[in-house]
Amino acid sequence: MIQTVEGKGRYGRFGGQYVPETLMGALSELEEAHDSALADQEFIEQLNGYLKDFVGRENPLYFAERLTEAAGGARIYLKREDLNHTGAHKINNALGQALLAKRMGKRKIVAETGAGQHGVATATACALLGLECVVFMGKEDIRRQELNVFRMELLGTRVESVDKGAGTLKDAVNEALRYWVAHVEDTHYILGSALGPHPFPKIVRDFQQVIGQETKRQIVEKEGRLPDAVVACIGGGSNAIGMFHPFVEDENVALYGVEAAGGGISTGQHAAAIAEAKEGVLHGAYMYVLQDEDGFIQEAHSISAGLDYPAVGPEHCHLHDIGRVHYTSVTDAEALEGVQLLAQKEGIIPALESAHAIHFAFGLAKEMHPDEILVVCLSGRGDKDVQTVRDALGGGVQ
Amino acid sequence: MNEFTLTMAIRKRNEKGQSAFIPYMMAGDGGLDMLHERISFLEEAGADAIEIGIPFSDPVADGEVIQEAGSRALKRGVTLRKVMSELQAQLHSIPLVVMTYLNPVLAYGVSEFVEDCKRAGVKGLIIPDLPHEERGLLSDALIGKDIALVPLISLTSSLERIEKNARKAEGFVYAVTVNGITGVRSSFASDLMDHLTVLKGVSNVPVLAGFGISTPEQVRHFSSIADGVIVGSAIVTAFHEENLEKIQSLIEASRTAVSQ
Ligand SMILES: Cc1ncc(COP(=O)(O)O)c(C=O)c1O
C-alpha cells in the first residue's frame, strides 16, 4: 500500500515545522481544532451545506468531446472547478479554513495571494461568515491582477501591497507570516496552497480532496470504472493534492503533476521546483525549493501568477520521491496554446494555471488508446487572465 | 558537564551584579571589511557577547530595520560562506553568536558549517526558524563543540512548552519580549514580567530579553528584570548612521540598571 507518512507532519523526509517559536502554539492549537472539527458531524454538515448551496458543488465532470476528437486518443474529462463560486478550487479551502477559524473563536483572518484567486476566495468566505480580513499581495501581482484587487476590496477586505523582493507570491507569504506572528492571538492565517508548516499541508489537502472524491464517484457513474490517468497543475500543489489524494492508493491510475516551466527550464526563468530538484526550507516546510548555492531562495517565473512560487508542497515532494506521481512541466508559450485550444474546442476559457494541465493532458491523450480515460483538473476559469493572455498574444489570436 | 563559554561570559557579568548586554549586528551591512572593526568596537564598548546576523532572502522573523540592513548586505553579495571565512581570518576573544535562518545552513552543509563555526570561534547559534522539535537537524553535529544552540522562547508558548524548552536550553534562553518580529516597540505586554519570572524559575541558564528593545530606558527596564538584554534594530541603525555614541549609551544604560 502506498501511503504518505504523517508522523509529526512529515511526508517522507519533507514537511515539518520550521517556524519561529511564536507560531508553535498557534500551530498546535490549529492542529487540534482541525482534528476535532473533522470528527464533528455538525461541522462537516455545515461545511457541506456551504459547499453545496454557496460554492455550487458538486461541479460537473464534463466529457470534452471535441477536445478528445482533436487529440485522437484517450477520452478526456474535465473536472470543472472553474464553475465554483469565485471561479477556482481555492474557495474549497478558504471556506473550510474560515469555518475552522470561527470555530476556534478567531474572528480575524490574514491571507496571502498570488493570482488573487485565493485572496478573492478568502475575502468571499470572510464576507460570508462575517470575519475581518487582510490580504497581502505582491506589488507585481497587484499590477498583473488589478481587477482581483478591486474584487477583494468590494468584498470588504483590506489588501496590503508588498514591494519587497520581486513583489510576488513568495514575498506576500513572508509578509503574511510576519503579520500572523504579530497578531497570532486573535488571527488565523488562511494559507492558500498545500504548503507551509504542519498542519497546513494536511488541512489544505483535507479541504481540497472533495475534488478527487467527487471525480472518483462521477467517473464511475459515467464510465463504470476509474480513469487511467489524472492530470493537474502545480503551483504550491493544492488543486493537485485535492485531486490526487483519493487516487493515491489506486495504483492503476497514473497521476501527473504539471509545473510551470516559464520561459523554459534551461533559461532558469521558471517555477519548476521539482524539475530543479534542490531541497531546502521555505515558509516552514522542507521541500524542493528554487535556490542558489548559498541557500538564498530564488524568484520563480511564470506567466501565470498562481504558479509563480519557488517551491512545491511537501506531500508532492514525497509523492515524487516514491514515484507515485509523475511531475512534468509546461512553458508559458505552451500554456498560452492550451488556453486557446480549450477556448476553441470546448468554449471554456481556462485560467492560465489550468492551461498548463490542459496542454500536457492534450499531448498525453494523443499517446493513449481511445479506450482509455484521462481526467484533467480544470482548476479555474480564465476571466482573470484575459488581459494577460491578450498582451502575451500581442493583442490578437494566433 | 562544563558550562558553555557563552553561558560563562554572561554569568561573569551577572556576578558583578550587572545585567549582560548582547548587541546584534548585521554582517556585511556597510561592507564585510567593516566586520572586525565593528566587533572590536562592541567588545571595547563593553558587550558581553555579539550576535552576528547573516543576511537572507526571506527573513520572516525580522522587522523593517533588520530586513533593510539585510538587503543592503545582500546587494553587496554577502553570504553565510563569506561571513564564515571572514570570521576565520581574525579571531576575537568575545563570544560570537551567529544568527542565521536555516536554509543557508542546509545549503552550506550542517557538519561543514559547524566545523567552520568552531574554527571561527563561534560560541553560539540562533536559528529563528528552527523550533525545539526540529533541533535534531543540528544538535548532533554540535555535540562537544562548545557551540550553544540558543532557543527562542516566546510569550505565546504554553507554560508546559516554556518549561520543556527552558530546561533544555543551551547558552542562554532568548526570551522574545513581543509577539512579533524584531524591530522598535514603544510598549510591551503587561504579563511580560510574569513570563520572565517563570522562565528564570525553570531555566538552568541565564534568561535574556530581546526583540523590540531599542531605547536606553527599555534597556534599563529589562536589565533590571532579566539576566541580560539583546538589542538589535537600534544597534543596526546606529551603525548604519555611524552614531556610535548611541551604542555606548545603550550599553551604559544596561550597566546602571539596578536588578530587582
Ligand atoms: C486557477 C488556479 N489553479 C491553480 C493554482 C495553483 O495553486 P495550487 O497548486 O495550490 O492549486 C492557482 C493559484 O492561484 C489558481 O488560481
Side-chain angles (χ1 to χ4, degrees):
Chain A
M1 190 174 85
I2 299 165
Q3 254 302 9
T4 47
V5 187
E6 285 203 347
K8 263 183 75 194
R10 290 280 167 182
Y11 304 91
R13 63 183 195 283
F14 299 100
Q17 293 182 307
Y18 301 95
V19 293
E21 172 65 23
T22 312
L23 293 180
M24 292 300 284
L27 293 178
S28 65
E29 180 194 8
L30 180 58
E31 183 175 4
E32 277 168 33
H34 180 64
D35 288 348
S36 98
L38 289 195
D40 178 358
Q41 204 46 44
E42 219 172 290
F43 179 85
I44 299 293
E45 273 164 28
Q46 192 187 23
L47 173 64
N48 288 341
Y50 281 122
L51 286 178
K52 177 168 181 288
D53 295 331
F54 185 73
V55 175
R57 303 200 76 96
E58 71 178 37
N59 56 39
L61 181 68
Y62 166 74
F63 175 54
E65 193 174 349
R66 294 192 63 232
L67 191 66
T68 297
E69 260 173 40
R75 297 165 62 76
I76 304 172
Y77 283 86
L78 305 176
K79 178 58 177 166
R80 300 292 307 272
E81 293 299 309
D82 62 315
L83 293 178
N84 292 340
H85 180 42
T86 71
H89 67 294
K90 297 283 179 186
I91 190 77
N92 304 328
N93 168 54
L95 185 62
Q97 285 203 48
L99 283 168
L100 196 55
K102 213 169 165 176
R103 189 181 156 96
M104 288 189 290
K106 298 198 173 181
R107 306 202 65 92
K108 294 184 181 166
I109 298 296
V110 58
E112 85 297 335
T113 195
Q117 285 309 104
H118 173 60
V120 168
T122 303
T124 299
C126 288
L128 173 72
L129 300 175
L131 304 173
E132 200 181 308
C133 180
V134 52
V135 170
F136 288 90
M137 185 168 183
K139 202 172 161 185
E140 169 63 13
D141 288 337
I142 287 184
R143 190 189 62 75
R144 288 196 280 192
Q145 304 284 343
E146 226 173 48
L147 270 182
N148 269 345
V149 176
F150 187 62
R151 274 189 194 107
M152 288 184 265
E153 288 169 352
L154 264 183
L155 291 160
T157 279
R158 196 171 93 232
V159 180
E160 294 277 349
S161 171
V162 179
D163 57 9
K164 292 172 185 139
T168 59
L169 183 55
K170 162 175 93 86
D171 313 294
V173 176
N174 288 344
E175 219 43 47
L177 277 171
R178 289 188 186 106
Y179 182 92
W180 195 34
V181 170
H183 299 86
V184 63
E185 278 166 357
D186 63 357
T187 302
H188 172 60
Y189 180 16
I190 303 192
L191 198 69
S193 192
L195 297 166
H198 177 71
F200 280 109
K202 175 170 186 299
I203 291 177
V204 175
R205 183 191 77 196
D206 288 344
F207 288 134
Q208 290 293 2
Q209 62 173 322
V210 62
I211 303 172
Q213 283 160 349
E214 285 179 8
T215 300
K216 220 169 168 172
R217 196 164 59 235
Q218 291 167 314
I219 198 72
V220 170
E221 265 166 32
K222 287 178 194 281
E223 294 275 358
R225 66 180 185 89
L226 294 181
D228 300 285
V230 175
V231 178
C233 68
I234 310 263
S238 70
N239 86 89
I241 205 69
M243 176 56 109
F244 294 166
H245 189 69
F247 290 104
V248 163
E249 285 178 39
D250 301 309
E251 292 180 42
N252 292 327
V253 181
L255 304 173
Y256 297 89
V258 185
E259 295 190 284
I265 303 281
S266 60
T267 65
Q269 304 286 300
H270 62 83
I274 289 182
E276 194 78 29
K278 288 183 190 145
E279 298 169 25
V281 166
L282 178 65
H283 299 145
Y286 191 78
M287 305 176 281
Y288 287 111
V289 186
L290 298 180
Q291 58 188 303
D292 66 16
E293 64 214 17
D294 291 303
F296 296 149
I297 309 304
Q298 287 174 323
E299 301 294 342
H301 297 274
S302 168
I303 191 172
S304 113
L307 304 184
D308 215 348
Y309 184 78
V312 169
E315 189 163 7
H316 286 292
C317 297
H318 179 61
L319 290 168
H320 167 71
D321 269 24
I322 62 174
R324 177 62 188 96
V325 178
H326 309 276
Y327 293 88
T328 173
S329 63
V330 155
T331 64
D332 289 350
E334 291 168 333
L336 285 165
E337 284 172 29
V339 171
Q340 296 168 85
L341 178 69
L342 195 67
Q344 288 160 25
K345 292 293 176 213
E346 295 293 344
I348 299 170
I349 300 175
L352 271 169
E353 291 81 10
S354 323
H356 286 71
I358 295 291
H359 185 276
F360 173 76
F362 189 67
L364 180 65
K366 286 183 184 168
E367 319 264 288
M368 292 169 69
H369 194 270
D371 292 342
E372 291 185 301
I373 305 164
L374 185 162
V375 174
V376 190
C377 185
L378 189 61
S379 56
R381 66 173 183 235
D383 306 42
K384 69 182 175 62
D385 295 321
V386 170
Q387 185 73 45
T388 310
V389 172
R390 189 173 70 170
D391 292 349
L393 295 179
V397 172
Q398 288 152 354
Chain B
M1 193 185 84
N2 285 337
E3 273 208 317
F4 285 97
T5 300
L6 180 58
T7 312
M8 290 191 292
I10 296 165
R11 290 211 199 283
K12 202 168 137 203
R13 175 66 61 190
N14 292 162
E15 278 155 16
K16 292 183 187 152
Q18 290 175 326
S19 172
F21 187 92
I22 302 187
Y24 168 100
M25 60 181 282
M26 173 59 75
D29 185 18
L32 254 191
D33 42 352
M34 299 290 283
L35 186 64
H36 292 292
E37 194 181 306
R38 287 180 176 179
I39 291 174
S40 301
F41 170 79
L42 292 170
E43 182 171 10
E44 277 158 33
D48 298 291
I50 300 170
E51 222 184 287
I52 309 279
I54 307 295
F56 184 50
S57 52
D58 297 82
V60 290
D62 286 305
E64 294 290 338
V65 171
I66 293 179
Q67 281 180 51
E68 278 164 23
S71 305
R72 291 193 294 267
L74 287 177
K75 282 206 187 90
R76 291 173 179 268
V78 175
T79 63
L80 178 58
R81 246 173 220 292
K82 287 186 186 161
V83 176
M84 291 314 296
S85 70
E86 188 65 27
L87 287 176
Q88 288 173 65
Q90 183 185 332
L91 300 182
H92 297 266
S93 51
I94 186 166
L96 301 179
V97 180
V98 167
M99 174 149 174
T100 173
Y101 288 87
L102 180 58
N103 204 53
V105 174
L106 298 178
Y108 205 112
V110 168
S111 54
E112 195 188 339
F113 173 66
V114 169
E115 286 311 317
D116 284 352
C117 282
K118 183 80 193 154
R119 279 189 211 111
V122 170
K123 297 297 177 202
L125 290 176
I126 299 175
I127 303 184
D129 52 354
L130 189 75
H132 188 80
E133 284 73 3
E134 310 281 4
R135 290 164 55 95
L137 212 59
L138 275 176
S139 49
D140 286 352
L142 290 172
I143 291 171
K145 296 283 195 295
D146 191 28
I147 300 171
L149 188 52
V150 176
L152 290 152
I153 296 190
S154 89
L155 271 176
T156 50
S157 301
S158 64
L159 209 55
E160 190 190 349
R161 216 183 139 74
I162 288 178
E163 291 187 3
K164 186 176 80 180
N165 294 357
R167 264 200 203 98
K168 295 201 180 141
E170 297 176 357
F172 62 89
V173 166
Y174 193 140
V176 177
T177 45
V178 294
N179 259 352
I181 51 183
T182 59
V184 175
R185 293 294 192 302
S186 53
S187 67
F188 294 87
S190 51
D191 54 358
L192 193 57
M193 288 285 277
D194 307 342
H195 179 78
L196 285 171
T197 312
V198 170
L199 270 177
K200 281 171 77 168
V202 294
S203 168
N204 300 316
V205 290
V207 174
L208 275 68
F211 277 37
I213 302 175
S214 55
T215 65
E217 294 69 47
Q218 290 167 345
V219 168
R220 209 167 290 126
H221 172 68
F222 283 104
S223 295
S224 69
I225 53 178
D227 300 318
V229 298
I230 299 156
V231 179
S233 298
I235 302 278
V236 167
T237 304
F239 272 132
H240 185 55
E241 294 172 351
E242 295 178 25
N243 182 358
L244 301 184
E245 291 92 65
K246 171 92 190 286
I247 299 178
Q248 264 147 346
S249 73
L250 289 163
I251 300 185
E252 257 156 47
S254 116
R255 294 294 121 84
T256 55
V258 183
S259 71
Q260 292 180 0

